[in-house]
């Protein structure tokens, strides 16, 4: 047991403190790259669960103050920022600089996790003592996590380096790969993960569990559906989403919307859960986004935007997933998908951070069907939109043309997925303009949005800058257009 705990802590420390820029340093001694970590099923599993645990901390890119949902929510039209902190203000006004600490932080954290996944793949593959079922599961999880990180890197920064080994001499000089090549890596990793992972969810001891914090085959399939959609492979996006939706014994839309984000939610495909640490914090999104003091003077200075509240007006999701805070004669709306700000005493954890869930799969399938020409009818995209609307007790929408459908889909995705890991930002960047298909939806709507926030929109701003610190280290990296050093 002591050895298992030691390896778990080593894995956690390696992922959190191994190096500020993983591509420029040697792997840390006695780290997850140490072959002794892969001598038994238990120690090898502890490496992966240590990586997953590290993804729950407040400074990770998944959630919290430096999370993708919060930062892209400020950059789009979901969240309003009320203060003058320079780092956050750059997101709020769409005026990012290449030395922004949040921009460089997400880059670094993603690549640390990728390094950890690469080390795990190498260690597990080389081990002669891990059992074959555990070896398959751990390799599948590592490939899933690597694909997950690359998905966010490519959507935030565009072309990015794609290290798939722990060879730092190679990694330190890797150039950026084109977006389409990054998607090829993501899709291949997820197809491999599909083939390797179990249908069931496993605990840290590799026993079947009701918790959904270690990815299974259908988590890989769900992320694959999203990757296919973003890559424009409509047929495979549809079939992958359908495979998940058809697992009716495991997944369903929660009829009570307030149960959607709970531990063991039937809608959850993959969640991240904080370990019991006495803090009472269930999720960092709940702790940070639930307003407890005026956003004008208090941390983190955010509330839902008027635009987002206009979309939610009259919808059950407004009542279930938002709340209000009054201060100084002003009422501020905030996301209330997670209900727990901070529990008291030794209260059990009731919520986990939702990363993948079933409603998104319906909306992925809806879009994929429409892009293949099937908009209305029982097998059309509208039917999948209405499946999600029905859970929210909303009247079904109708559409017969693609422009009508896209307006309905955009609205539904804003209603359903707001402040969840960047969906809104990624949607407007990847969609063509609705009234002018020669530009993106972002270029169509963001000039007015940016101006209202005190900024000026440029098409180059659809991508974040490559961090200046990385450009200074790797001579083969090139900056994104529009960002000076």
């Amino acid at each position: 047991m002591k050895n298992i705990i030691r390896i778990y802590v080593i894995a956690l420390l390696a992922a959190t403190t191994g190096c500020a820029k993983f591509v420029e340093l040697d792997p840390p001694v006695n780290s997850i790259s140490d072959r002794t970590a892969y001598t038994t099923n238990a120690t090898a599993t502890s490496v992966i669960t240590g990586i997953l645990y590290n993804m729950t901390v407040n400074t990770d890119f998944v959630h919290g103050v430096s999370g993708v949902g919060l930062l892209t929510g400020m950059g789009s039209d979901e969240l309003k920022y009320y203060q003058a902190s320079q780092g956050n203000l750059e997101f709020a006004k769409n005026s990012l600089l290449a030395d922004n600490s949040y921009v460089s932080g997400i880059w670094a954290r993603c690549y640390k996790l990728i390094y950890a996944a690469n080390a795990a793949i190498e260690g597990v593959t080389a081990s002669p003592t891990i059992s074959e079922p555990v070896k398959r599961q751990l390799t599948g999880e590592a490939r899933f996590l690597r694909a997950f990180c690359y998905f966010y890197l490519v959507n935030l920064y565009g072309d990015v380096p794609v290290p798939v080994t722990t060879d730092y001499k190679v990694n330190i000089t890797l150039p950026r790969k084109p977006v389409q090549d990054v998607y090829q890596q993501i899709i291949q990793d997820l197809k491999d993960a599909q083939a390797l992972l179990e249908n069931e969810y496993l605990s840290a001891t590799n026993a079947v569990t009701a918790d959904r914090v270690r990815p299974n085959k259908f988590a890989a399939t769900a992320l694959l559906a999203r990757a296919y959609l973003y890559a424009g492979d409509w047929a495979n996006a549809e079939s992958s989403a359908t495979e998940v939706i058809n697992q009716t014994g495991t997944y369903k839309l929660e009829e009570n919307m307030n149960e959607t984000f709970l531990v063991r939610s039937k809608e959850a495909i993959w969640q991240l859960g904080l370990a019991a640490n006495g803090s009472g914090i269930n999720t960092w999104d709940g702790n940070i986004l639930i307003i407890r003091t005026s956003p004008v003077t208090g941390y983190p200075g955010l509330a839902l935007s008027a635009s987002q509240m206009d979309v939610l007006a009259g919808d059950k999701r407004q009542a279930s997933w938002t709340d209000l805070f009054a201060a100084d004669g002003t009422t501020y709306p905030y996301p209330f998908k997670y209900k727990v700000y901070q529990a008291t005493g030794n209260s059990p954890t009731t919520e986990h951070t939702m990363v993948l869930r079933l409603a998104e799969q319906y909306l992925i399938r809806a879009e994929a069907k429409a892009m293949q020409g099937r908009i209305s009818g029982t097998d059309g995209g509208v039917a999948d939109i209405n499946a999600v609307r029905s859970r929210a007790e909303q009247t079904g929408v109708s559409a017969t043309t693609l422009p009508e459908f896209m307006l309905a889909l955009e609205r539904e995705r804003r209603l359903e997925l707001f402040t969840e890991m960047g969906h809104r930002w990624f949607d407007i960047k990847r969609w063509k303009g609705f009234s002018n298909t020669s530009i993106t939806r972002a270029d169509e709507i963001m000039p007015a949005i940016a101006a209202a926030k005190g900024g000026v929109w440029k098409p180059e701003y659809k991508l974040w800058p490559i961090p200046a610190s990385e450009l200074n280290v790797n001579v083969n990296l090139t900056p994104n257009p529009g960002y000076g050093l």
Side-chain angles (χ1 to χ4, degrees):
M1 177 60 72
K2 288 182 179 178
N3 192 42
I4 293 173
I5 293 172
R6 174 181 173 273
I7 296 298
Y8 178 89
V9 172
I10 286 171
L12 178 58
L13 290 176
T16 55
T17 62
C19 49
K21 305 173 193 65
F22 89 100
V23 292
E24 66 177 282
L25 298 176
D26 291 8
V29 177
N30 292 327
S31 74
I32 51 177
S33 61
D34 189 336
R35 292 295 185 263
T36 61
Y38 304 97
T39 55
T40 71
N41 288 348
T43 56
T45 300
S46 292
V47 172
I48 296 295
T49 54
I51 296 169
L52 288 168
Y53 174 80
N54 187 53
M55 293 176 71
T56 70
V57 299
N58 185 25
T59 55
D60 191 70
F61 77 97
V62 176
H63 47 192
V65 67
S66 57
V68 170
L70 185 148
L71 297 175
T72 61
M74 284 190 287
S76 63
D77 52 3
E78 288 185 328
L79 295 170
K80 181 176 180 179
Y81 186 58
Y82 286 86
Q83 297 182 18
S85 167
Q86 185 60 34
N88 281 345
L89 196 62
E90 290 175 19
F91 285 94
K93 290 190 174 182
N94 302 106
S95 57
L96 289 174
L97 300 176
D99 63 355
N100 184 284
S101 61
Y102 292 108
V103 168
S104 60
I106 285 185
W107 175 284
R109 283 186 288 275
C110 283
Y111 277 112
K112 286 177 189 175
L113 288 167
I114 289 167
Y115 172 85
N118 289 343
I121 292 168
E122 291 172 2
V124 168
T125 301
S127 173
T129 51
I130 302 172
S131 70
E132 191 58 32
V134 171
K135 182 176 286 194
R136 288 172 57 82
Q137 178 71 22
L138 299 182
T139 304
E141 287 177 296
R143 289 188 178 277
F144 170 87
L145 292 172
R146 185 167 70 183
F148 180 74
C149 292
Y150 278 131
F151 176 86
Y152 282 92
L153 284 168
V154 76
N155 278 285
L156 293 171
Y157 303 94
D159 300 351
V160 292
V162 183
V164 292
T165 75
T166 59
D167 188 341
Y168 73 96
K169 292 181 181 178
V170 172
N171 294 342
I172 194 174
T173 59
L174 285 175
R176 301 169 68 182
K177 276 197 171 185
V179 167
Q180 61 267 28
D181 292 346
V182 183
Y183 270 108
Q184 286 180 8
Q185 180 65 51
I186 292 167
I187 289 168
Q188 187 58 60
D189 270 344
L190 292 172
K191 289 170 71 174
D192 291 344
Q194 268 187 314
L196 292 165
L197 293 171
E198 298 290 339
N199 290 3
E200 296 81 10
Y201 291 94
L202 301 182
S203 70
T205 60
N206 292 311
V208 175
T209 180
D211 290 325
R212 301 180 177 194
V213 297
R214 286 181 68 183
N216 69 347
K217 172 183 176 179
F218 299 111
T221 307
L223 186 57
L224 184 59
R226 188 196 294 177
Y228 278 135
L229 185 79
Y230 279 42
D233 187 340
W234 316 124
N236 277 319
E238 178 187 352
S239 63
S240 295
T242 298
E243 184 176 353
V244 179
I245 291 167
N246 285 348
Q247 305 305 311
T248 55
T250 305
Y251 308 114
K252 70 173 184 177
L253 297 175
E254 291 283 4
E255 294 181 10
N256 182 345
M257 297 185 66
N258 289 322
E259 296 181 358
T260 300
F261 297 89
L262 297 181
V263 172
R264 301 179 179 179
S265 162
K266 289 293 186 183
E267 190 163 333
I269 301 170
W270 182 41
Q271 298 175 303
L272 286 173
L274 282 170
N277 57 13
S279 69
I281 294 171
N282 282 205
T283 69
W284 285 110
D285 276 0
N287 183 256
I288 288 167
L289 291 174
I290 294 174
I291 298 178
R292 285 294 180 268
T293 186
S294 169
V296 176
T297 56
Y299 173 85
L302 290 167
L304 285 169
S305 69
S307 171
Q308 182 62 42
M309 292 307 295
D310 286 345
V311 172
L312 286 161
D315 193 284
K316 186 177 180 181
R317 284 162 284 202
Q318 179 186 20
S320 297
W321 290 348
T322 72
D323 207 348
L324 302 172
F325 179 84
D328 304 322
T330 302
T331 300
Y332 301 95
Y334 61 87
F336 200 45
K337 289 179 170 179
Y338 302 102
K339 315 299 184 188
V340 179
Y341 170 74
Q342 189 164 0
T344 57
N346 294 318
S347 300
T349 298
T350 58
E351 298 171 338
H352 281 166
T353 298
M354 186 73 75
V355 187
L356 297 169
R357 63 186 178 97
L358 187 61
E360 184 201 356
Q361 296 299 301
Y362 277 102
L363 297 177
I364 286 172
R365 190 170 73 173
E367 184 175 346
K369 287 179 177 179
M371 290 300 177
Q372 296 174 85
R374 292 165 22 236
I375 294 172
S376 57
T378 56
D379 189 40
V382 168
D384 283 324
I385 291 179
N386 287 337
V388 177
R389 290 185 61 77
S390 177
R391 185 270 294 277
E393 299 178 4
Q394 298 302 301
T395 303
V397 299
S398 60
T400 56
T401 67
L402 189 58
E404 290 174 343
F405 174 87
M406 289 305 298
L407 283 170
L409 178 69
E410 178 183 43
R411 182 176 180 83
E412 198 60 29
R413 288 182 68 92
R414 292 194 71 183
L415 284 164
E416 187 68 27
L417 301 173
F418 67 94
T419 66
E420 292 184 45
M421 290 203 69
H423 285 289
R424 174 61 174 165
W425 182 247
F426 296 159
D427 285 345
I428 61 175
K429 282 164 16 83
R430 66 187 178 86
W431 285 334
K432 293 181 179 179
F434 294 175
S435 59
N436 181 359
T437 57
S438 66
I439 59 176
T440 67
R441 183 63 168 157
D443 294 325
E444 198 170 51
I445 66 174
M446 283 302 299
I449 293 168
K453 295 187 292 184
V456 176
W457 177 254
K458 295 181 180 179
E460 297 95 326
Y461 293 168
K462 291 190 291 291
L463 295 177
W464 288 1
I466 303 299
S469 55
E470 304 297 331
L471 293 169
N472 291 334
V473 169
N474 184 349
V475 296
N476 291 325
L477 285 183
T478 55
N480 275 332
Y483 297 102
L485 298 181

